[in-house]
Amino acid sequence: MTTTVARDTHVAARATDVWKVYGTGEAQVVALRGVSAEFERGRFTAIMGPSGSGKSTLMHCLAGLDSVTRGQVAIGDTVVTGLGDSGLTKLRRDKVGFIFQQFNLLPTLSAMENILLPLSIAGRKPDKAWFDTVIATVGLGDRLGHRPSQLSGGQQQRVACARALVARPEVVFADEPTGNLDSRSGAEVLAFLRRSVREYGQTIVMVTHDPVAASYADRVVFLADGSIVSELFEPTPESVLDTMKRLDVLSGEAGV
Amino acid sequence: MLRATLKSLLARKLRLVLSGLAVVLGVMFVSGAFVLTDTLGRSFDQVFSTAYSQTDVGVAAKPKVDVDEFEGEEAAAPFPTSTVDKVAAVPGVAKATGFVSTDGARLIGDNGKAVTSFGPPQLGESWNPDDGLTELREGRGPTADNEIAINVTLADAAKVAVGDKVGVLTREPRQDFTIVGIFGYSGDRDSLGGVQQVEFTPPVAQKLMLGETGVWNGITVKAASGVSHDQLRDDIAAQLGDGYEVKTGQQLADEASGALKQGLSFFNNILLGFAGVALFVGIFLILNTFSIIVAQRTRELALMRAVGASRKQMIGSVLIEAVVIGLVASVLGLGAGVGVGALLAFVFGSVGGGLEMASVGVPAAAVISSFAVGLLVTVVAAVLPALRASRIPPVAAMQDVATPDRPLTKITVAGAVVGAAGGALLALGLSGNAGDSTLWTILGGVLVTFIGVALLTPLVSKPVVSLLGRIFSWSVPGKLGRLNSGRNPRRTAITAAALMVGIALVTGVTVLLGSAKSSITKLAEDTINADLVISGAQSGPRPPSFDPVVLDEVKAIPGVRAATGTYGDLGEVNGDREYLTAVSDIAALKDVYRAEPSAGDIGTIGPDQMLVDSKTASDMGLSVGSRLTVQLSRGDAQTYTLSGIYKESDLYGGFVLPVQATKDFAIPQPTQGYIQLDPGTTASQVEPQVDRLLADSPEVSVADRSKFIEQQTSGFDQILTMIQILLALAILIAVLGIVNTLALSVLERTRELGLLRAIGLRRAQTMRMITVEAVVISMFGAILGIVVGTGLGAAVVRALKDDGITELVLPWSQMGLAVVLAAIVGVVAAILPAIRAARLNVLGAIAHE
Ligand SMILES: Nc1ncnc2c1ncn2[C@@H]1O[C@H](COP(=O)(O)OP(=O)(O)O)[C@@H](O)[C@H]1O
Ligand SMILES: [Mg+2]
């Protein structure tokens, strides 16, 4: 069954029965328990769940930053599971973009240089039209020559988004990209991400625990205790919150 | 607090090992020097107490001229047999034996070359089998005039055996003898400190070693039982009066050993000098390590302040770390020093011809100085970082601030002031106005200049590093590496400054020695007007010499216009010690040296006339006709009349005596010969013939002029190589510094490296990035070192202009080599940190704080 699905061209990233176990013996933590999920091309998907539910772990496994204990992960038609370091580096360079919660930029480079970094590392020239589009979308104007330390948090995060987008990766993974920002800067970053999906067909998978942030996505996947427990399309902050409350009650009942 | 300090210390083992290593190396040199001196010193004691074990009281005539250890050897003063009889008649003397024993008996080994010795004397002696020390191992003692016995050390060195016929060089030219015996010493000893001994029958020993028969140069006295040695010594001295030195065996042993130990202290000082350089460079390394550690722990330290730690406690916590590192490094350095000292003592002993080693000793001075130096250096280096730690505000714990770039104004001003002070000290020392403390003033000036330059380095580093980095900017990793190396100018500067010190010293010394060599070569080329020169390489205190008959034979070769030999002796002129020269053919020498007369006649010299140069003449207030009293190594003082004054020359000594005076020289043979050819005759035609004539004078050889000059200046190259090897240590420490700085930077930038890897930087690219950073830093250090070293070297060369160093030679190729080497050093230094950076777990780097 996996082989047939793997050929599906509208899937950008896929997890198949992924287990992730940290540590051994007493200290063993099962972070993911048989997660299977598909992330469609050109869609903005949010992964939600309470703290410690395994969101970051799932994202790391999907992006090839961490190995899975069992199961399989694929990005596009590349099977990530089992790739060596050079394969993973190539994957990260060519197919995946990253946005982290903090420490996203190199302090020694200007904003512009930071944006172009993945391309320079790969030794590729930016697609001029796309590059201009991205730069215009970031909306930094004349501050592109500045160092990160001279930019606000929101501006820095937008630079990080632009950097993730400029190489046109298969998927952009974002781990709580607005976690460190005030709500206005956060909204700017999220709007930027949504535009890149709506207007340019970029695929984005975003981890968050903020219902408002999740409502910018096309689809929300809910994680609890290492398993996918629910799913929501065309979310609004209210519907996300409702689902979370419902899940809380459920897990509360389960706990009794 | 202490616990927290020690815990964090243990958590950062590697860094501390690296920074401690510099101290270990420095301390190793310090303690090694002491262990070496102590071990060799006690070995000398042992040898001489054995050598004088059978001597209750020793008698010798006072030397005619006192000679210091470093000036050459004292000539033996002969006395007649009647003196021995006089001593034998002193009450309390059981037995008085006259003997001949002086340096200068060179056996010609089975390869046709004279056996050399690097230090221990080559004694020619009168055979005395009953001295209680000598023990025949093979054969018998010499009974006929053409027989000798030799000791085991010499037999081994010359590879000869009983029955062999060998030549021996003495005051006289080569004479041939048959070896009839080989001997060692009582108590199963084969060697006595590497001394070589040739035993002749007494008359032969007297003739060859002292120049006349019927004389001795020493008396061994056995005291009658119950007679105190001190008393007996005083009685004999009273009997002999002035002109004799009478000492107990104990005194003689102590003095002989003391003289050698004094020679050792010179060697000791050299080792300590290099220890100083190593430790000085080590300070930079430790300073940098602590600064980085403090910077990295800003949050942690701020938290401590926030929860109530005082400033004093912060300073204390950093200093305690320094003390612990200093202690550990001192212990390790002391241990390594004992090993190195023992090894050096062993090498020293075996090169010197088989000195029997006393057990390796660790004197208290070694332990005390090791700990003092190790602790002092580490603590001094940690003071600045400690102060910085104490200034971290508690709020830093709550902020995510990267320490902002502090302005470089203060440090630059300080650097300018210190550098100027160093330059002034240097100028004072070089001007020659510092008197007795000239050497210290110059050394201090160099040291202070280094510190000044180090302080200025951060300012310089910005433009230079960015310029250097452009070479590598064509690739992304290269560009990132360049940016990283310019990121923290202070850190880059200190790391580079450590390398600067070593390279500056090497460059400075190379400039100085290269200039000196070139100046002397030029002078020699301008001055020496001889087609062929006879000379030999000196290995011990005694210069090689040759049979003067050779000069007459050379003159007889067709095509030879003139041949003259020069003799040298250390004597006294009007009571002052001076080097004196004698010449076999003064007219020829005048031509060889193109000497110009400034008064009188310098083309002839009568048996009681002498010449001086114009400088000596004006210093001593002499004019033609002045009378001078000259005491040579042997014989009585004699008065000479000044018959000519020649213009001062840097190559040629101040006093010239007639050849007749050489019978009273310590070495009555020429040490150099100059041959001039007729026009149309080439050196290569005559050289082989001269070579054949020198067959019986194997210590010297003949060479054409340019080869001779090259031989004479080859010593510079040897000294240079030795200094370079020792200074390589300073450079090695600097390399450790680069490794350390990089390793710490990699650690500091863990998240950044993780980010780069996450967005696709390959492992190889990561390594290249780190490597470029290292290469840029080390090339910066090298260039800085070359500039500073050239400046220092050129300053010294200029100051010595009046002393004959007229040429300034800049070693361009060596400088280029230094930069290339520095680049390689950078690559090597980057290996470990780069591997570490490449191995970084991407997730671990970015996912967790
Ligand atoms: N490196 C790790 N070692 C051990 N346990 C881990 C590690 N990383 C995450 N975990 C555990 O796995 C679970 C899921 O963590 P994570 O994916 O970070 O949760 P989330 O991002 O949803 O807050 C948690 O219980 C966490 O403690
Ligand atoms: Mg998380």
Side-chain angles (χ1 to χ4, degrees):
Chain A
M1 184 199 130
T2 31
T3 37
T4 45
V5 187
R7 275 189 216 112
D8 260 332
T9 46
H10 65 279
V11 175
R14 177 201 324 276
T16 314
D17 190 26
V18 166
W19 288 73
K20 179 69 189 178
V21 182
Y22 288 114
T24 49
E26 293 267 309
Q28 200 173 55
V29 179
V30 183
L32 297 176
R33 310 170 179 271
V35 173
S36 294
E38 290 181 355
F39 299 90
E40 280 166 279
R41 211 174 281 280
R43 290 280 210 121
F44 189 175
T45 311
I47 301 175
M48 280 217 67
S51 186
S53 56
K55 306 183 294 291
S56 295
T57 306
L58 176 59
M59 194 201 93
H60 293 150
C61 290
L62 282 170
L65 286 176
D66 207 349
S67 60
V68 300
T69 310
R70 206 165 86 201
Q72 198 188 58
V73 169
I75 300 284
D77 48 12
T78 310
V79 177
V80 177
T81 321
L83 280 182
D85 180 74
S86 62
L88 285 174
T89 306
K90 207 164 141 27
L91 177 89
R92 290 199 293 266
R93 205 168 62 194
D94 302 336
K95 306 217 158 153
V96 175
F98 288 102
I99 305 165
F100 305 111
Q101 182 173 353
Q102 54 175 314
F103 198 79
N104 244 324
L105 305 175
L106 283 204
T108 48
L109 301 181
S110 69
M112 177 71 111
E113 288 170 321
N114 264 292
I115 293 175
L116 286 174
L117 193 58
L119 288 176
S120 355
I121 288 176
R124 280 195 274 149
K125 284 256 168 299
D127 170 342
K128 183 80 177 90
W130 174 239
F131 176 72
D132 289 343
T133 313
V134 169
I135 293 297
T137 323
V138 182
L140 272 182
D142 57 350
R143 314 211 64 179
L144 278 169
H146 288 202
R147 294 282 164 85
S149 57
Q150 296 162 319
L151 299 175
S152 75
Q155 287 169 328
Q156 286 185 30
Q157 204 61 319
R158 265 148 51 204
V159 171
C161 295
R163 187 195 59 209
L165 293 174
V166 79
R168 307 208 84 155
E170 199 113 358
V171 199
V172 170
F173 290 102
D175 193 352
E176 312 236 13
T178 58
N180 257 13
L181 304 179
D182 60 83
S183 56
R184 225 190 67 150
S185 307
E188 277 170 21
V189 169
L190 289 164
F192 178 94
L193 290 177
R194 186 164 61 188
R195 260 181 79 193
S196 63
V197 174
R198 297 273 156 84
E199 294 177 21
Y200 313 118
Q202 181 63 54
T203 311
I204 296 180
V205 177
M206 174 179 76
V207 166
T208 183
H209 63 254
D210 172 13
V212 179
S215 70
Y216 280 79
D218 302 319
R219 167 190 173 212
V220 183
V221 174
F222 291 88
L223 220 54
D225 235 355
S227 306
I228 293 179
V229 287
S230 183
E231 190 173 23
L232 203 62
F233 290 89
E234 306 299 331
T236 61
E238 294 74 30
S239 64
V240 173
L241 210 56
D242 280 349
T243 314
M244 282 180 72
K245 277 186 188 145
R246 197 162 43 79
L247 290 175
D248 259 357
V249 175
L250 272 180
S251 65
E253 280 170 2
V256 172
Chain B
M1 193 77 190
L2 183 62
R3 261 181 78 122
T5 304
L6 293 179
K7 268 199 167 153
S8 76
L9 192 65
L10 279 177
R12 284 168 286 116
K13 280 184 289 263
L14 181 72
R15 284 169 254 187
L16 301 175
V17 165
L18 278 172
S19 57
L21 213 51
V23 184
V24 171
L25 288 175
V27 169
M28 179 184 90
F29 264 77
V30 172
S31 59
F34 281 106
V35 170
L36 171 71
T37 320
D38 179 72
T39 307
L40 283 182
R42 280 182 300 109
S43 307
F44 292 150
D45 286 345
Q46 272 181 17
V47 165
F48 288 110
S49 64
T50 308
Y52 288 103
S53 58
Q54 302 304 315
T55 305
D56 291 342
V57 175
V59 178
K62 280 215 174 99
K64 300 284 184 177
V65 177
D66 284 326
V67 176
D68 279 349
E69 179 77 10
F70 281 107
E71 288 176 320
E73 39 180 351
E74 216 158 57
F79 50 80
T81 306
S82 59
T83 308
V84 183
D85 298 338
K86 228 192 256 176
V87 171
V90 172
V93 172
K95 192 176 169 198
T97 318
F99 64 84
V100 176
S101 175
T102 76
D103 194 4
R106 294 96 75 203
L107 193 95
I108 297 172
D110 75 337
N111 58 358
K113 292 214 165 65
V115 177
T116 53
S117 164
F118 295 92
Q122 303 180 296
L123 298 176
E125 304 187 316
S126 52
W127 173 243
N128 175 16
D130 308 322
D131 62 3
L133 190 62
T134 308
E135 265 184 20
L136 270 171
R137 291 284 144 79
E138 214 181 315
R140 57 179 174 82
T143 49
D145 285 354
N146 63 350
E147 291 176 347
I148 54 169
I150 60 175
N151 70 348
V152 175
T153 308
L154 180 55
D156 289 348
K159 301 196 182 66
V160 291
V162 169
D164 287 356
K165 222 171 151 194
V166 295
V168 180
L169 305 169
T170 55
R171 280 180 65 83
E172 307 266 322
R174 173 181 177 146
Q175 291 193 16
D176 288 345
F177 296 88
T178 306
I179 300 173
V180 294
I182 291 177
F183 63 94
Y185 309 94
S186 58
D188 245 8
R189 274 171 172 262
D190 273 349
S191 164
L192 209 55
V195 169
Q196 300 173 9
Q197 282 172 290
V198 181
E199 306 289 319
F200 305 97
T201 57
V204 174
Q206 289 164 349
K207 180 81 189 64
L208 295 185
M209 302 313 299
L210 300 178
E212 51 189 315
T213 47
V215 294
W216 311 92
N217 74 318
I219 305 172
T220 329
V221 178
K222 265 261 168 256
S225 61
V227 177
S228 124
H229 297 174
D230 287 347
Q231 185 58 47
L232 188 59
R233 172 197 61 198
D234 295 344
D235 291 350
I236 296 172
Q239 186 66 34
L240 292 177
D242 267 1
Y244 285 90
E245 284 172 346
V246 186
K247 285 165 188 163
T248 61
Q250 184 64 48
Q251 272 179 310
L252 289 167
D254 290 350
E255 275 175 22
S257 169
L260 283 184
K261 283 183 197 164
Q262 212 185 345
L264 259 188
S265 72
F266 172 74
F267 193 69
N268 206 25
N269 285 342
I270 292 182
L271 280 181
L272 289 178
F274 284 103
V277 173
L279 290 167
F280 182 62
V281 174
I283 288 182
F284 285 80
L285 178 48
I286 296 167
L287 176 69
N288 223 12
T289 308
F290 274 97
S291 299
I292 301 175
I293 289 176
V294 166
Q296 283 175 357
R297 287 165 62 205
T298 300
R299 277 192 145 190
E300 188 188 324
L301 293 169
L303 188 68
M304 281 194 179
R305 291 275 280 138
V307 298
S310 72
R311 279 201 166 174
K312 263 198 198 136
Q313 281 175 307
M314 305 308 296
I315 296 179
S317 101
V318 175
L319 288 186
I320 285 171
E321 284 202 28
V323 167
V324 173
I325 295 175
L327 276 177
V328 173
S330 299
V331 171
L332 294 177
L334 179 60
V338 173
V340 166
L343 185 76
L344 279 179
F346 174 78
V347 170
F348 207 92
S350 50
V351 166
L355 176 67
E356 316 75 66
M357 276 307 138
S359 61
V360 173
V362 183
V367 179
I368 295 168
S369 55
S370 291
F371 281 96
V373 159
L375 278 178
L376 192 74
V377 162
T378 4
V379 171
V380 162
V383 165
L384 272 181
L387 287 177
R388 199 166 304 146
S390 76
R391 294 213 191 97
I392 296 173
V395 288
M398 271 64 84
Q399 298 165 337
D400 193 19
V401 281
T403 12
D405 257 358
R406 283 167 295 147
L408 298 174
T409 331
K410 257 200 220 160
I411 195 171
T412 303
V413 170
V417 171
V418 174
L425 264 180
L426 208 57
L428 174 69
L430 292 176
S431 69
N433 292 335
D436 283 346
S437 45
T438 298
L439 184 65
W440 289 112
T441 315
I442 294 178
L443 289 181
V446 170
L447 192 80
V448 176
T449 307
F450 277 148
I451 296 174
V453 172
L455 290 172
L456 286 174
T457 310
L459 187 75
V460 187
S461 85
K462 272 191 169 165
V464 177
V465 161
S466 97
L467 206 68
L468 271 176
R470 300 227 180 269
I471 310 170
F472 306 100
S473 284
W474 45 267
S475 72
V476 180
K479 186 178 173 197
L480 290 172
R482 170 181 76 103
L483 288 174
N484 284 339
S485 53
R487 201 159 160 175
N488 193 330
R490 283 160 206 265
R491 193 182 295 178
T492 303
I494 297 180
T495 313
L499 188 61
M500 178 261 301
V501 172
I503 299 220
L505 287 174
V506 170
T507 310
V509 170
T510 310
V511 168
L512 180 59
L513 290 182
S515 300
K517 181 178 170 180
S518 154
S519 303
I520 289 174
T521 304
K522 186 165 178 297
L523 184 69
E525 275 168 355
D526 290 350
T527 320
I528 298 176
N529 182 26
D531 300 294
L532 290 168
V533 181
I534 298 171
S535 70
Q538 186 168 347
S539 67
R542 191 189 174 82
S545 57
F546 61 95
D547 187 349
V549 172
V550 171
L551 291 169
D552 295 331
E553 292 165 348
V554 168
K555 273 187 214 157
I557 299 173
V560 171
R561 180 155 57 89
T564 184
T566 57
Y567 303 65
D569 194 33
L570 193 58
E572 282 172 5
V573 179
N574 288 354
D576 289 331
R577 209 153 39 181
E578 302 283 0
Y579 279 102
L580 299 140
T581 312
V583 205
S584 63
D585 180 347
I586 187 70
L589 191 77
K590 175 179 171 239
D591 195 23
V592 165
Y593 278 121
R594 301 185 228 260
E596 297 283 338
S598 70
D601 179 10
I602 64 166
T604 57
I605 187 168
D608 50 8
Q609 292 181 327
M610 68 186 289
L611 311 178
V612 301
D613 73 354
S614 51
K615 179 164 192 299
T616 310
S618 68
D619 284 354
M620 294 177 66
L622 302 174
S623 56
V624 172
S626 298
R627 296 169 69 78
L628 294 132
T629 307
V630 176
Q631 170 65 61
L632 297 169
S633 287
R634 298 154 45 91
D636 295 325
Q638 202 185 325
T639 307
Y640 289 89
T641 308
L642 193 60
S643 63
I645 299 173
Y646 52 90
K647 286 213 179 102
E648 184 195 350
S649 152
D650 283 316
L651 262 191
Y652 199 41
F655 300 90
V656 182
L657 292 174
V659 73
Q660 289 84 350
T662 59
K663 69 176 187 340
D664 285 336
F665 277 24
I667 300 170
Q669 293 183 341
T671 52
Q672 264 163 10
Y674 300 94
I675 303 169
Q676 288 176 306
L677 304 176
D678 287 331
T681 311
T682 61
S684 54
Q685 286 173 316
V686 179
E687 198 180 318
Q689 304 182 55
V690 178
D691 203 37
R692 239 168 289 137
L693 293 174
L694 288 172
D696 282 342
S697 299
E699 290 181 305
V700 297
S701 59
V702 60
D704 63 23
R705 199 179 72 139
S706 59
K707 216 157 75 196
F708 166 70
I709 293 173
E710 208 180 288
Q711 283 167 6
Q712 295 299 299
T713 52
S714 66
F716 284 109
D717 298 332
Q718 285 165 19
I719 296 175
L720 189 62
T721 311
M722 250 166 53
I723 293 179
Q724 282 171 341
I725 290 174
L726 280 166
L727 285 178
L729 183 86
I731 294 174
L732 178 77
I733 293 177
V735 174
L736 287 180
I738 299 176
V739 175
N740 205 18
T741 308
L742 281 183
L744 289 169
S745 296
V746 165
L747 212 71
E748 193 173 57
R749 299 184 203 136
T750 299
R751 311 204 83 209
E752 201 176 312
L753 286 164
L755 176 71
L756 280 167
R757 295 273 289 134
I759 61 174
L761 198 69
R762 273 181 282 119
R763 280 201 168 147
Q765 288 177 311
T766 314
M767 293 176 75
R768 203 176 331 145
M769 177 176 83
I770 306 283
T771 306
V772 165
E773 184 175 352
V775 169
V776 167
I777 293 177
S778 59
M779 280 174 69
F780 174 48
I783 290 171
L784 209 61
I786 288 169
V787 171
V788 174
T790 306
L792 290 176
V796 176
V797 167
R798 259 206 64 86
L800 293 177
K801 199 168 179 172
D802 292 338
D803 296 309
I805 304 191
T806 48
E807 308 283 298
L808 175 62
V809 180
L810 297 185
W812 293 111
S813 59
Q814 293 217 21
M815 294 179 185
L817 190 71
V819 176
V820 173
L821 275 180
I824 296 173
V825 156
V827 172
V828 173
I831 292 176
L832 281 179
I835 289 178
R836 203 170 167 166
R839 288 239 184 94
L840 199 86
N841 178 313
V842 183
L843 185 61
I846 53 171
H848 301 283
E849 261 215 61

